[in-house]
Amino acid sequence: MDRPAPTAPADLTLRRGAARVLIGNWTGTSTVPSRTLYPHQWSWDSAFVAIGLRHLSVRRAQRELESLLSAQWADGRVPHIVFNPAVPHDAYFPSPDFWRSSSAGRVAGAPRVPETSGIVQPPVHALAAWLVHRADPAESRRRGFLARVRPRLAAWHDYLLTRRDLGGGGLAAVVHPWEPGMDNSPCWDEALRRVDPAPAGAFRRADLDHGHPADRPTDLDYGRYVRLTADYRDAGYDDAAAPHRFAVEDPCFNALLIVGELALAAICRELGVPDPGHTARAARLTEALVDRLWDAEAGLFRVRDLHTGAPVDEKGVSGLIPLLVPHLPADVVRGLHATLTGADFRATGTDLVPSYALTGHAFDPTRYWRGPAWFNTAWLIQRGLTTHGHHEDAARLRAGLLDQAGGSGFAEYVDPLTGEARGARDFSWTAALALDLLCDPKGATP
């Protein structure tokens, strides 16, 4: 690895541990989230991995993003999974033969190879590309990195801002709980009740071969995920034709789209090409985000259910991540900060942020996105705190992330009250984002 290393003994130990995870999970073209539980390439995982890899090898970080974007569909979507053909189909479900991207997705522009999923994940990729470039601008320019990825990133955002504006209010909608990346969040419960689950005998969950059932979504959740996936696939992954019994506007997803638009504007400036509207789109998206999803009384952003048109009365970590957006109204920033440091989300045992309010009726400290603290959301919120000048809170969250990441064996997530490791160990984005905060503690939005 070719990047400078920190010198404090504790920092060196953490860096070596994070590097070991990332090197061990590297496949030659990309990084798997986990060698056991997630043996393929995942979309937003790869973006977070690239952000950390830039501190070890800029060229490998570039490759991480380029390999993902090489599987982009002709309509602009970046699929949430790129399948490794060398991995047996029974190692992960839904497998390539369930998604059938190259046949069912042909009209939508799915590539013939590789096989992919047909849904998406949050658009962290433009921010990741910009941060990878900044790690070594000379190497990036020499290899033409930004010039290669910019058209693909722009097409990705165009897809979200056109085909996915299902609510007509200027925000991107998600059509499956896997798309916002917070699979079984209580924020989706109400919308999922409309979905008839696939019969339990119609699929086999490979995730339970490597994860404890108490940590994972329930069989009922999975049955609904499978039903939604099959309906979308059978509609040819056509956003206009699919039934979309689950369709919501998610605060985190749209906040990352705003930050991605600002990153694309920065990329245009770096390349010396005119900004075709990224800065203006970020401003419009910010206005729409506040108008449609901000709940001043609750002090956070709400998910909007597009079937009812109403906000969802649940407090998830997704509603805090828009703190990452740089040009929020001052009263919104104050409200988010108050909520983040209040009784709902202040987990003093770990200094991390639970995925669902500690005081919420559905809080569960061990079950995936129903309460555990995740390292990618902590990284995003830490960056938001820095962006808006809350440096003391940002430093506390940074210290909590580094402590819990190293102490948990780079766990997928942890119990927010005790720090007990949950899910997979040697998890790639945990290692990558710990490495990033170790090497770049003052990161802020472009």
Side-chain angles (χ1 to χ4, degrees), residues 98-409:
F98 184 90
W99 293 97
R100 303 200 295 269
S101 63
S102 61
S103 55
R106 186 181 299 116
V107 173
R112 187 177 64 82
V113 289
E115 292 287 342
T116 74
S117 67
I119 61 173
V120 302
Q121 277 188 325
V124 198
H125 313 89
L127 173 62
W130 178 240
L131 294 177
V132 168
H133 165 78
R134 285 177 52 191
D136 191 339
E139 171 69 2
S140 175
R141 293 182 192 118
R142 188 185 69 78
R143 298 192 69 241
F145 170 65
L146 290 182
R148 287 199 308 277
V149 300
R150 184 180 74 90
R152 290 185 176 272
L153 293 170
W156 165 220
H157 288 198
D158 287 345
Y159 166 78
L160 294 174
L161 288 165
T162 54
R163 297 171 188 260
R164 284 301 189 89
D165 184 8
L166 302 179
L171 297 180
V174 293
V175 299
H176 194 293
W178 288 336
E179 291 200 318
M182 303 179 189
D183 306 20
N184 66 332
S185 168
C187 295
W188 322 136
D189 288 356
E190 183 179 344
L192 282 174
R193 290 190 187 103
R194 290 190 295 267
V195 180
D196 296 325
F203 59 93
R204 178 188 173 276
R205 294 181 60 180
D207 62 313
L208 297 183
D209 294 341
H210 306 288
H212 194 284
D215 291 354
R216 305 291 299 165
T218 64
D219 286 344
L220 177 59
D221 287 333
Y222 238 83
R224 287 168 168 157
Y225 303 156
V226 170
R227 174 71 69 188
L228 288 168
T229 301
D231 287 350
Y232 197 29
R233 177 199 65 204
D234 294 347
Y237 300 111
D238 184 336
D239 292 302
H244 295 322
R245 284 181 282 181
F246 177 95
V248 303
E249 292 171 346
D250 174 59
C252 171
F253 195 100
N254 281 281
L256 289 169
L257 184 54
I258 293 167
V259 172
E261 284 291 293
L262 294 173
L264 274 172
I267 289 170
C268 288
R269 290 193 296 271
E270 168 65 22
L271 293 173
V273 300
D275 178 349
H278 298 301
T279 303
R281 290 207 301 199
R284 289 196 299 270
L285 279 162
T286 301
E287 184 178 357
L289 181 73
V290 173
D291 288 348
R292 290 179 67 81
L293 305 186
W294 174 243
D295 183 337
E297 184 176 348
L300 83 172
F301 288 85
R302 298 285 198 186
V303 169
R304 179 179 290 273
D305 186 336
L306 293 178
H307 279 263
T308 66
V312 175
D313 188 19
E314 298 286 3
K315 294 182 177 181
V317 70
S318 175
L320 298 174
I321 290 172
L323 190 63
L324 189 68
V325 175
H327 303 302
L328 290 174
D331 62 312
V332 173
V333 174
R334 286 193 298 270
L336 287 170
H337 182 252
T339 302
L340 180 62
T341 56
D344 283 330
F345 288 97
R346 180 74 188 275
T348 55
T350 61
D351 281 328
L352 295 179
V353 184
S355 51
Y356 178 72
L358 298 166
T359 56
H361 69 97
F363 175 75
D364 183 334
T366 67
R367 195 177 290 279
Y368 219 44
W369 288 96
R370 301 183 77 85
W374 288 71
F375 293 91
N376 65 326
T377 54
W379 182 88
L380 292 168
I381 291 170
Q382 193 272 348
R383 201 169 183 88
L385 287 166
T386 301
T387 295
H388 292 286
H390 293 288
H391 298 295
E392 183 177 338
D393 294 308
R396 182 171 58 248
L397 185 52
R398 173 183 180 270
L401 190 155
L402 294 177
D403 182 58
Q404 298 300 324
S408 68

